Amino acid sequence: MRGADHPQTLLFSLRSIEDRIPADHPLRAMQALVNPILAELSSLFQAMYSSMGRPSIPPERLLRALLLQKFYTIRSERQLMEQLDYNLLFRWFVGLNPDEAVWDPTVFTKNRDRLLEANIADAFLYAILSAADARGLLSHEHFTVDGTLLEAWASQKSFRRKDDPTPPPSDGDPSNPSVNFRKEKRPTRRISRSPIRIVGWPGRVREQRRSSVISGVC
């Protein structure tokens, strides 16, 4: 018998998000790796915030969301929040209940600086590498490549001339400056990546021979 196509959706569901995630899904293994590390960093998170005021977005959720952005190659925080709003898998990994509202994308702007200034990002990534190495997920065979040749998610605002370390003229905004490259050509000698808060490095990077994952900066 043909089933009826009812446009009306159910008001309530008795199944949890946990039941909908396959037991062998890769994010389950990643969650088991990441959550204990975030628990160890709890004291560092506590030192970042005041004991008074309105509760913030938990930094654990911000870091899990940023991991999803890299895993699934999501181009912006705005698109990340859009997917987090309707994707039950993403909500489960980050720790959001189905009825919880997602936060504004600009939350990342302020908290990214906070996480970097407190060295949380370095500690988090180092702990992930250490845990992966302890589980035998990393190879000890490495090779190095020129970091300036890596394609990365670096904004044009973070480019520098190789023959002139002086930054281009900007509007004075330290967090998101508007640089001016007008009337300048773009030969390869001109582009040099800034070592601050971008994905590419001006030196050498160490990669895993087996997976080609960057595991260190030389």
Side-chain angles (χ1 to χ4, degrees), residues 140-186:
H140 291 280
E141 295 182 0
H142 304 95
F143 63 92
T144 58
V145 296
D146 186 354
T148 61
L149 302 180
L150 291 179
E151 182 178 357
W153 287 356
S155 169
Q156 187 182 27
K157 299 176 182 181
S158 61
F159 290 160
R160 299 289 184 272
R161 293 182 62 97
K162 287 186 176 181
D163 55 357
D164 184 8
T166 304
S170 70
D171 58 2
D173 187 346
S175 60
N176 189 26
S178 298
V179 297
N180 184 7
F181 289 116
R182 291 181 179 275
K183 299 182 179 181
E184 291 193 32
K185 296 182 179 180
R186 299 186 63 181

Side-chain angles (χ1 to χ4, degrees), residues 129 138-139 141-142 205-208 212-217:
L129 279 176
L138 296 182
S139 169
E141 295 182 0
H142 304 95
V205 295
R206 186 172 68 247
E207 293 191 15
Q208 295 289 311
S212 297
V213 173
I214 295 177
S215 60
V217 181

